[in-house]
Each structure stands twice: as structure tokens, then as C-alpha cells.
Amino acid sequence: MDFVFKALGVLRERPLCDRCLGRFFARLGYGWSNLDRGSAIKRVIVMYYHWRVKSGDRGALEEFLSVAPNIGVEASGLYRLLTGGDLGARPCSICGGVLESFLDKVAGDVAGLLRVYGVRRFIIGVKPSGDILGVEEEIASKHSLDGWESIKNEIKREVGKRVESLGFTADFTSPEAMVIIGFPGGGLEIIVNSLILAGRYWKRGRLVSQAYWPSFEGAKYYSIEEALTPLLRIAEGESIVFHAAGREDVDARMLGTGRPVLVEVKAPRVRELEFSEVERAVQEASKGLVAFKFEGYANRSMVKVYKEEATVKSKVYKALIAVRGGIEEGELARLEEALRGAAITQRTPLRILRRKKDITRAKKVYEVKCRILGGPLIECLIKASGGLYVKELISGDNGRTRPSFTEILGREASCLELDVLLVTPIS
Ligand SMILES: [Zn+2]
């Protein structure tokens, strides 16, 4: 029964409520709360003194009377029996005697806060004030107690259980929000995780940028990000972050299958969205320039996958091309043949050299299909690996992309319009 005497040693020094005493013996017994443990130990201690008093142990009464105020309610019956008076119990020296009522009250507050943010899956964090944790450490080390639990842990678990009983789910792997509880003050702080929507977008007009493009006169182009403003309003979020699998140039449209994208809404208050409502609102706000199709919700871990350009296996483009001096059918066949399965060596294009490092990339063209439109104009479908700069594949970029339309034809070719028709992500 060593552990009972250790508990008695602690109680001789300071008052502890049932829960705060029980926490020091949290690994003993199974399926009990620390409240049960603390109360059980105290009852055994009271019985131990009663037994000694009955056996005629003269010192026992005096010892009992001095420790009883630190034990509290469990000692009050015997105290009255032995003295005829009421026990003046002292408040717990760790929690001030408020822990029990705190747990019940704060659980209701947490649930209310979760409701405001439309959160169902939560985790709890705890910030004890002052030196509560230090006091616990000191008691444990002075009395050589191991297997104890900190008040922080207990509040987390107990509040978590109570909040779950109010219809929420504790989720340690992918919570929608974390609520941090101040003890004993009861102040709450909530960290709401982003809502991440997976879908695709289409850009039906030119001169639309993917992200907001600042200039001194405001946004330089209308952007896909701006088209998503209705989503921000509907989800009642703070901001939107856009994670697309690659991007097309400002002057290129995104047609065909659309481009896979993750849209992150930060700190939303609404987490269950009617996708069709959002899609309709985006369509209206952008006057049909931008369209979205949302397919579901995604995890944070998927964001990284979308950000890497290499996640795009291949793309199909449609290009309107001008060839100096026009072009004949025979040359077109030669061009298609030369580019079928061609390995392309591409240095960073001159037009973006200011923003990106000058490196050489090895890319691939799978297939090219062209038709003559008349005059110098041809229209080509180009299937190529992700990350290939198509405008430079056509122009040659002063020899920085090889081979190129210009090089194969022996005449200057340039891209007038570019559309992306198909983006195939690596799955
Ligand atoms: Zn306490």
C-alpha cells in the first residue's frame, strides 16, 4: 500500500481535490476517472485513521485532525463523529477547487463556439495559467510519483468527452478546428482549419490571369481568384488560396477538360457547401468568363501534390500559328512527322527569364496535328508533357528551344492564340 502513504504524504503538505489527487495515480486501476481514484484513496486514508483511533492509537486523532482539512469532504463525517464540529475544508492547491465545475461549463462554451463555425470534428488544446504545471511537476518529483497525468491532459480528455456527448466528434488526424482553453480563466481561442475544395476550372476568355495580378491601377487582369469571390462570401471565409496543377498563360484559354485545382478557403464559418450554388455564383460573377466544377473536399496533404508542376503528365493545346510566307500541305506532313514523339530541349524562355532561373529542361512532344486555315495561318493540336512552354516550341525562342516549328520549317513561326484543351494529372 505504498502509494496510499505517498498520497497521504502529499495531503499532509497541501489540500488537493479528488481529481487533482487522483491524477497522480492515473495509471492505477482501469476504467475509472481520476475523480474516482482520488476519492477512493482519500476514503482509505480516512478508514486508516479511524482504525488507528479505534485501536487506541493516541497520536492518530491529532494526525487526522491536522490532515482532514486537506482531504475535504471524505473526512467530514469522521471529523464530526470525533469532534462534534464541522470540518473547514481547504480549497485545492492546484486547481483552486474549480476544476470539476470548470469542465462542465467550458464544454458547453466550446460546443457553442464550434457551432458558430459550423465545425463538427475538433481537437482541444489547453493553456494553464501561471505555474500550475510547475507545481504538479514539483509534487511528483518530491514524492517520487510516476505514472501521473498533467492537468492539461485531463482537461483535454474530459472536455473532449463532454463536447462529444453534445454531438461533436474528437478527431486527432484531421480536425476541422482546434479550440484552445485557458485554465482556470475559461477563455477560448479557436483555430479553424481551411476548407479545401477539389475541382476543375475553365477559362473561356483571354487576358484572364490565374491569381490576382496587382498593378498601380488595381488588378491588371480579371483573375480566376477574383471570380471565386462568391465562394468566399458563401463559405464566410477570410481569404482564398488557389492551388492549381500548373497554369496557362494570361492570354491562353483553358477549355476542354478544365484544369484540376484545389481551392482553399481560410477560416470558413460554413463548411457544408452546395457545390452547384457556388458554381452558379462564380459563373454569374465572372459573366461566363470563368467556370468551376467542384468534385469534393480534399485534405491538406493533397495541396503539395497539386503544387508540383510534375504532377501534370500531359497537356493538349490548340494553337493558332502564323508562318511567314504561308505553308503547304507537304510541309505540314513533314512538320507533324518531325515532332511525333520528339524530345525537346528547352532553356527557360526569354520572356520569363526575369522571374525564373535559366535552366535547360528535357520535355517531350507526343503528337502534333495541323490544318491550314488560309494565308499564313495554321491551327495545330499539340500534345506535350507537362511544363513544356508551347509558345517557344513554336517560335524557337532564338534557338533556346530545339527543335521548334521555326527550325523544322526553316521560316519564322509564331503563336497568335493558345488554348489548353486537356490537362492529365499523374494519378
Ligand atoms: Zn483540484
Side-chain angles (χ1 to χ4, degrees), residues 265-299:
V265 183
K266 300 233 175 202
R269 290 191 172 218
V270 178
R271 301 194 81 94
E272 282 180 22
L273 303 174
E274 197 68 60
F275 289 158
S276 60
E277 181 197 349
V278 180
E279 289 161 8
R280 212 167 32 242
V282 169
Q283 182 104 3
E284 271 168 30
S286 70
K287 301 195 169 65
L289 266 181
V290 175
F292 268 87
K293 177 99 192 117
F294 292 108
E295 286 144 7
Y297 298 101
N299 283 331

Side-chain angles (χ1 to χ4, degrees), residues 17 20 92 95:
C17 70
C20 290
C92 175
C95 75

Side-chain angles (χ1 to χ4, degrees), residues 15-21 23 92-99 151:
L16 289 179
C17 70
D18 295 357
R19 217 171 249 292
C20 290
L21 176 67
R23 249 191 344 268
C92 175
S93 60
I94 291 179
C95 75
V98 302
L99 183 52
I151 191 167

